[in-house]
Structure formats: C-alpha cells, structure tokens
Amino acid sequence: MRLYALVAGGAFRRYATYRTATAAGVFTNTVFGFIVAYTYIALWDVRPQLGGYDTSEALTYVWLGQALLMACAMMGGGFEDELAERIRTGDIAVDLYRPADLQLWWMAGDLGRAAFHLLGRGVVPMFLGALAFDLALPGSPWTWPAFFVSVFLGVVVSFAMRFLVAMSAFWLMDGAGAMRIVSLAGLFFSGMLLPLNLFPGLLGEVARALPWSSLLQVPADVFLGKHTGWGLVEVYAFQGGWAVVLLLAGRLLQTVATRRVVVQGG
C-alpha cells in the first residue's frame, strides 16, 4: 500500500505545479458560480422550495457543484486520456508487466489529483460564494466528515467509470467518442446543470439511480443535512455499491486485456 500512497502523493504534487492553470480554474469556477447562482435566485423566487430546497440551500448546491466539479471529474479530465493513449500505442504492455496492479496504480493517482483539485480549486470558490450569498452551511460538526466520506466515494465511482471507458480502447479504434459520451452524461446526470430532485417522474427516478448521482447530488444532500442516521448509511451503501460494481467490471476488462496482451506477445 505504501507504493500506492506514494503514487497518490506524486499525483498531488504533479497537479500542484500547474499554478497558473489552477488560478485560471479558480477564476472560471467562481465566475460560473456567480452566473448560476443568480439564475437559481431568479428561479427560486418564482418557485420557492423547488426540489425540496429553499433559496439558501439551492445556492449552497451551486457552490458545492463548483467545488466538486474537478475533484469528481464530472466532465471527465484526468488519467483516462493518458491511459487510452498508452493502450493505443501499445505502451500499456509495459504497465501490465510491472509488479503493480494497473487499476490500483491509476486509482491512486486519480485520488491524488482529486485531493489537489478539492483543495486547490474547490475551497476558494466555496469561500467566495459564502461571502457573497447566504449559504446553508452545516450546523453540526459531524456533517463535515460525513460529507467528505461521500465525496471520497463519489471520486472512486468517478474513477471506476472513467477507467472502464479508457479500457474500452483495447477494443475500439478510438476511445474519444466514448469519453465524450460519458462526459456529457456526467454533466447532466450528476446534477451539475440542475439538481436531480427537479427532474420529473421516471426521468428523475432513473437519474438518481445512476452512478453519476454519486458525484454531486448525493454529497450535496449529505452536506445540506438531507441524509442523516440510517438515511446516511443508505446513501453510503448506494455509492459504495456502485463503486464495487464498476471497479469489478474494470478489473474484469483488465484481466481480459492482460490475457490478450500475453497471447499477442507470445
């Protein structure tokens, strides 16, 4: 495990070197946060308690979305392009023969990336949003660790989905199309555009049952105190269940791909 801790730390330091890009990202997240916040204010003035949120909770949801956008990679962006390129060029054969698990290696790196983005691109926009608007911050100190556990599970679910997409490059000539589809789905079904509680009927039920809801909707509701006690255990089980299923699916593809590389190499 020490190896993977070092990989995570290395990924954190790697992203920390891009100071100008981080500053630009903070600026972009903050600007979009203000734009969406004022849009939500107009919407909630017309429809108070829309989706079960008051105006303060809706604004908090907006800034949580900006804080978690890069950490949970709702629009993609991270290791998947590099991994797919290594598969396309054949360099993945070297990775598969290394004395380290391929999936754990990339997951450790992605956790380091997510930790940096949560601190580097999440804290400042959230702080500025709290200064400009009346946000519904947690009243109980126990809500914070509960929220971070949910965020961690969301990051793992996000990684597992992107790992599956990247591994599909073993069978696709170009995995860019699949990555774009998953990125668009993540933007829509994570609740980044609108809380999934606002989706009507069957669409809302399906959207909340998909793994993308683990990236924003679930952590945001934990932060807002919508899930407590047994309800908190249920949402953890929901996120953890999707994480396990998707990671196992990725490991299955990894096993098949490894056998394919061994056969072709032999």
Side-chain angles (χ1 to χ4, degrees):
M1 294 305 294
R2 182 173 180 273
L3 170 63
Y4 303 113
L6 291 173
V7 172
F12 186 99
R13 291 190 297 273
R14 172 187 172 190
Y15 281 91
T17 60
Y18 302 114
R19 297 189 181 95
T20 302
T22 299
V26 169
F27 176 78
T28 302
N29 286 131
T30 303
V31 170
F32 274 95
F34 275 97
I35 293 172
V36 178
Y38 283 113
T39 303
Y40 273 39
I41 289 174
L43 180 59
W44 259 260
D45 279 346
V46 176
R47 296 284 302 277
Q49 298 297 322
L50 184 62
Y53 301 124
D54 58 28
T55 303
S56 180
E57 290 173 332
L59 291 173
T60 305
Y61 185 97
V62 169
W63 291 102
L64 285 171
Q66 296 304 316
L68 297 179
L69 176 62
M70 289 299 294
C72 291
M74 293 177 219
M75 299 176 62
F79 72 93
E80 60 268 28
D81 291 331
E82 182 181 353
L83 178 55
E85 179 64 16
R86 293 186 68 80
I87 294 172
R88 189 186 68 80
T89 60
D91 292 339
I92 191 66
V94 177
D95 300 336
L96 291 172
Y97 279 110
R98 286 174 178 164
D101 184 82
L102 182 73
Q103 188 183 55
L104 288 176
W105 177 282
W106 288 101
M107 184 167 70
D110 198 57
L111 289 175
R113 174 207 62 80
F116 172 76
H117 282 307
L118 185 62
L119 296 173
R121 289 187 59 168
V123 172
V124 173
M126 189 72 185
F127 176 74
L128 294 175
L131 289 179
F133 301 96
D134 180 23
L135 302 188
L137 300 178
S140 170
W142 296 106
T143 302
W144 289 98
F147 167 69
F148 286 120
V149 169
S150 183
V151 170
F152 170 77
L153 292 172
V155 171
V156 174
V157 170
S158 173
F159 162 80
M161 288 190 288
R162 289 176 290 127
F163 184 80
L164 276 172
V165 174
M167 293 297 284
S168 70
F170 273 106
W171 294 271
L172 301 176
M173 293 297 293
D174 185 1
M179 292 182 189
R180 297 294 176 271
I181 293 173
V182 172
S183 296
L184 290 173
L187 186 64
F188 185 76
F189 287 111
S190 65
M192 187 65 197
L193 297 179
L194 279 174
L196 301 182
N197 295 341
L198 274 63
F199 289 15
L202 181 61
L203 175 61
E205 294 179 11
V206 171
R208 288 188 291 272
L210 293 174
W212 288 284
S213 65
S214 298
L215 278 57
L216 173 58
Q217 184 68 59
V218 173
D221 281 343
V222 171
F223 187 89
L224 293 170
K226 303 296 183 179
H227 301 297
T228 58
W230 183 249
L232 188 60
V233 175
E234 289 179 342
V235 295
Y236 284 165
F238 171 79
Q239 290 179 293
W242 270 119
V244 170
V245 169
L246 293 168
L247 287 173
L248 288 177
R251 185 156 294 276
L252 177 61
L253 288 187
Q254 177 182 317
T255 301
V256 174
T258 301
R259 291 177 180 174
R260 180 179 179 181
V261 170
V262 170
V263 170
Q264 290 179 348

